[in-house]
């Protein structure tokens, strides 16, 4: 691994991020990443976070038009409540703060405690739980469905609503709508390796793949012999459409899990688009790349989000973060 020692992986990454993006304020000691112009007068603050190892989620999504702050925990470990409360205080302009929380037990519990701490300090807090994964329920890390690729759609669209000066109640409502309209399915071609463990998180023999994985290296719903890109697209997209038959156009995220080259992701996207055409699903926008990762896992996930005219306009609205940039 390209590291010094496992114990300093997160701190080293934060120091490097601070050097690369001077428009962010990166507190390495307290592990909080904040847009430099925060708090923005009249705007709801958006705070998210989670274990490290999923980059660019969440720190790479901090900036105008998206998150106000992000809190990185240790690798695959929730940040602590003090981090989140500190972030909320840093971005609160008096309009309130929305916590965007992936449905993993540690994240849920710690964000709940952070909301209490923030409210004790006079910050109005609302929370939205992201639970878009259709693959499994009640997994190793959570009760109910996991929060995965849909997090990107929630953070971007809610961030655009906040940038327009919407109220906390309205930004929360939009974020909930995006989550309700989003579904994801992930596939692993290899397990990931955490810095502390130094070996794969689960055993996946050569010539096999895992269908329905999460973003912490946890196994999925079933294991099969290796499939072609087209066969994987058929399986993943059909699993999503069975759970959510779209009644409107969709945003498509073809996401890499960290070690899959863009050459393969673009080829996989061609197959995803084929399945959607065959199923009569209209595609409004498509994003391809590594956005919600699992360290060095080879694999992909597909996320679909149904959008109306307002949600599509908010998706297209300007954004300037390390990982997403358009319109500015």
């Amino acid at each position: 691994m390209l590291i010094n020692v496992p114990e300093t992986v997160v701190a080293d990454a934060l120091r490097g991020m601070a050097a690369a993006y001077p428009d962010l304020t990166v507190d390495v000691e307290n592990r909080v990443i904040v847009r430099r112009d925060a708090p923005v007068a009249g705007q709801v603050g958006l705070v998210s976070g989670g274990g490290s190892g999923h980059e660019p989620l969440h720190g790479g999504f901090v900036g105008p038009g998206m998150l106000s702050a992000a809190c990185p925990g240790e690798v695959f470990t929730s940040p602590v409540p003090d981090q989140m409360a500190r972030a909320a205080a840093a971005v609160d302009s008096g309009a309130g703060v929305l916590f965007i929380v992936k449905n993993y037990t540690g994240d849920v519990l710690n964000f709940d405690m952070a909301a209490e701490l923030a409210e004790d300090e006079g910050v109005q807090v609302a929370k939205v739980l992201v639970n878009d994964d259709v693959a499994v329920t009640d997994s190793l890390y959570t009760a109910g469905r996991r929060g995965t690729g849909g997090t990107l759609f929630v953070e971007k669209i809610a961030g655009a609503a906040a940038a327009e000066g919407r109220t906390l109640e309205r930004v929360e409502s939009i974020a909930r709508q995006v989550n309700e309209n989003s579904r994801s399915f992930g596939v692993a071609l290899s397990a990931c390796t955490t810095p502390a463990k130094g070996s794969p998180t689960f055993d996946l023999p050569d010539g096999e793949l895992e269908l329905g994985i999460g973003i912490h290296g946890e196994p999925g719903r079933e294991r099969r012999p290796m499939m072609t890109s087209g066969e994987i697209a058929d399986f993943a997209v059909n699993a999503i459409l069975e759970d959510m038959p779209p009644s409107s156009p969709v945003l498509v995220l073809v996401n890499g899990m960290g070690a899959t080259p863009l050459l393969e992701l673009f080829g996989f996207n061609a197959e995803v688009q084929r399945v959607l055409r065959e199923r009569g699903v209209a595609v409004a926008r498509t994003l391809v790349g590594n956005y919600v990762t699992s360290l060095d896992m080879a694999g992909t996930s597909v996320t679909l989000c149904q959008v109306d005219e307002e949600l599509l306009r908010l998706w297209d609205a300007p954004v300037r973060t390390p990982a997403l940039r358009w319109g500015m």
Side-chain angles (χ1 to χ4, degrees):
M1 290 185 176
L2 188 64
I3 64 173
N4 291 315
V5 293
E7 292 77 13
T8 66
V9 164
V10 176
D12 291 346
L14 291 175
R15 289 190 297 106
M17 190 173 193
Y21 300 103
D23 52 345
L24 300 179
T25 298
V26 182
D27 185 338
V28 177
E29 180 179 357
N30 293 299
R31 299 193 178 184
V32 178
I33 303 163
V34 182
R35 52 184 288 186
R36 188 168 289 279
D37 59 352
V40 180
Q43 285 190 19
V44 170
L46 265 64
V47 175
S48 193
S52 296
H54 306 305
E55 290 73 21
L57 189 81
H58 296 272
F61 298 146
V62 174
M66 210 161 177
L67 293 178
S68 308
C71 305
E74 290 293 338
V75 173
F76 292 175
T77 302
S78 173
V80 298
D82 284 350
Q83 287 175 263
M84 305 159 190
R86 188 183 299 270
V91 305
D92 180 39
S93 68
V97 174
L98 178 66
F99 283 169
I100 298 174
V101 189
K102 300 189 306 301
N103 188 30
Y104 293 95
T105 302
D107 290 359
V108 172
L109 293 175
N110 286 351
F111 268 102
D112 282 347
M113 286 186 278
E116 294 178 5
L117 292 174
E119 287 167 349
D120 287 344
E121 297 299 320
V123 179
Q124 184 182 5
V125 176
K127 293 173 290 185
V128 170
L129 191 68
V130 182
N131 56 354
D132 55 301
D133 178 45
V134 304
V136 297
T137 301
D138 299 331
S139 70
L140 179 65
Y141 286 83
T142 188
R145 290 183 166 183
R146 303 173 291 204
T148 57
T151 312
L152 182 151
F153 291 142
V154 173
E155 292 178 354
K156 169 61 184 77
I157 294 174
E164 291 184 351
R166 308 289 187 92
T167 65
L168 178 59
E169 182 180 21
R170 182 58 181 146
V171 175
E172 177 189 7
S173 174
I174 289 170
R176 291 189 187 281
Q177 181 184 1
V178 175
N179 176 63
E180 290 166 2
N181 288 4
S182 298
R183 300 289 189 277
S184 297
F185 192 93
V187 179
L189 309 181
S190 73
C192 65
T193 299
T194 61
K197 189 170 187 282
S199 59
T201 53
F202 62 92
D203 177 38
L204 185 58
D206 290 342
E208 296 187 1
L209 54 75
E210 192 87 23
L211 296 165
I213 49 90
I215 59 173
H216 296 94
E218 67 268 43
R221 64 160 65 166
E222 66 177 284
R223 186 168 295 182
R224 291 191 178 185
M226 189 60 66
M227 301 158 66
T228 66
S229 177
E231 290 168 340
I232 294 171
D234 284 325
F235 192 100
V237 175
N238 285 328
I240 292 172
L241 297 182
E242 287 169 8
D243 193 89
M244 182 192 72
S247 57
S248 61
V250 298
L251 304 175
V252 179
L253 171 62
V254 171
N255 174 67
M257 301 305 295
T260 301
L262 277 171
L263 178 71
E264 296 176 29
L265 290 177
F266 281 123
F268 181 64
N269 179 54
E271 298 296 340
V272 169
Q273 302 290 332
R274 170 188 59 78
V275 179
L276 292 171
R277 284 194 306 272
E278 291 173 354
R279 296 291 299 270
V281 178
V283 174
R285 302 286 187 272
T286 300
L287 186 65
V288 179
N290 290 285
Y291 293 102
V292 183
T293 64
S294 185
L295 293 169
D296 61 343
M297 178 183 284
T300 184
S301 63
V302 180
T303 304
L304 304 182
C305 176
Q306 296 187 84
V307 289
D308 56 20
E309 289 185 5
E310 181 187 29
L311 295 186
L312 183 58
R313 182 183 61 78
L314 292 171
W315 173 256
D316 286 339
V319 61
R320 188 174 75 245
T321 72
L324 282 188
R325 274 174 195 255
W326 57 70
M328 286 188 173

